[in-house]
Amino acid sequence: MYDRTGAPVASSNSFAMRTLPASDRSPATARSWTRARLRDWRLSALQDDALLIVSELVSNAVRVGGRVTLEMRTVHRAGRHALRIDVVDEGRGLPGRVGASAPPDVAACHGRGLPLVDSLAEAWGSECRVDGHHVWAALRHSATAGIAGAAD
């Protein structure tokens, strides 16, 4: 969908996918790619939270090894608007579900990512699939967050 100026805007079918290698550079590549999608979809208001979530989920997936698939889509249902971020890796087993009531170990080098995702996302979850881990997060936004025509 495009606005009157010809610029792409998010709609109920806005979807993008990127496959990344298990590389230390993949989180930075994922952030750059996410920033561009948010700009294209006029969702820059979500940029800070989305970039942190993408960075954490892709970093976790890279640690597992293998290819990482990053998907983003806009979801519009029953007057609610969200950006959904999905990361699938080739690992086995589930990441630990850490709630806000379980603070990370301040002496640990890792372990802060999922509590951050939990605090930023409206909702998030994970599941083990045949193809590996699937972790997702949703960021809620208003129809006026820069999405021309999304409420149509």
Side-chain angles (χ1 to χ4, degrees):
M1 179 185 292
Y2 297 89
D3 69 10
R4 291 178 210 130
T5 67
V9 295
S11 67
S12 59
N13 62 356
S14 292
F15 174 82
M17 182 174 72
R18 174 82 190 255
T19 302
L20 303 161
S23 162
D24 291 341
R25 296 180 192 170
S26 289
T29 301
R31 286 190 301 271
S32 177
W33 181 83
T34 298
R35 190 176 295 112
R37 298 300 71 74
L38 294 175
R39 184 180 57 246
D40 290 347
W41 294 345
R42 297 188 178 179
L43 290 173
S44 295
L46 300 178
Q47 182 173 292
D48 291 344
D49 291 348
L51 292 178
L52 182 55
I53 288 170
V54 164
S55 189
E56 293 299 334
L57 296 184
V58 170
S59 293
N60 287 349
V62 164
R63 271 197 298 279
V64 171
R67 185 179 51 160
V68 176
T69 302
L70 170 60
E71 299 176 357
M72 288 192 346
R73 67 182 48 88
T74 56
V75 180
H76 307 284
R77 271 185 277 215
R80 295 175 62 100
H81 308 281
L83 174 71
R84 177 152 163 158
I85 300 165
D86 294 73
V87 174
V88 179
D89 64 45
E90 296 178 334
R92 297 291 179 257
L94 288 174
R97 173 81 188 205
V98 181
S101 63
D105 178 358
V106 294
C109 293
H110 301 287
R112 293 174 185 83
L114 293 179
L116 283 172
V117 170
D118 187 60
S119 70
L120 295 173
E122 176 185 33
W124 75 280
S126 63
E127 62 182 324
C128 190
R129 296 180 172 176
V130 173
D131 58 346
H133 298 124
H134 174 213
V135 184
W136 61 271
L139 290 171
R140 188 172 181 188
H141 65 83
S142 70
T144 59
I147 308 177
D152 295 342

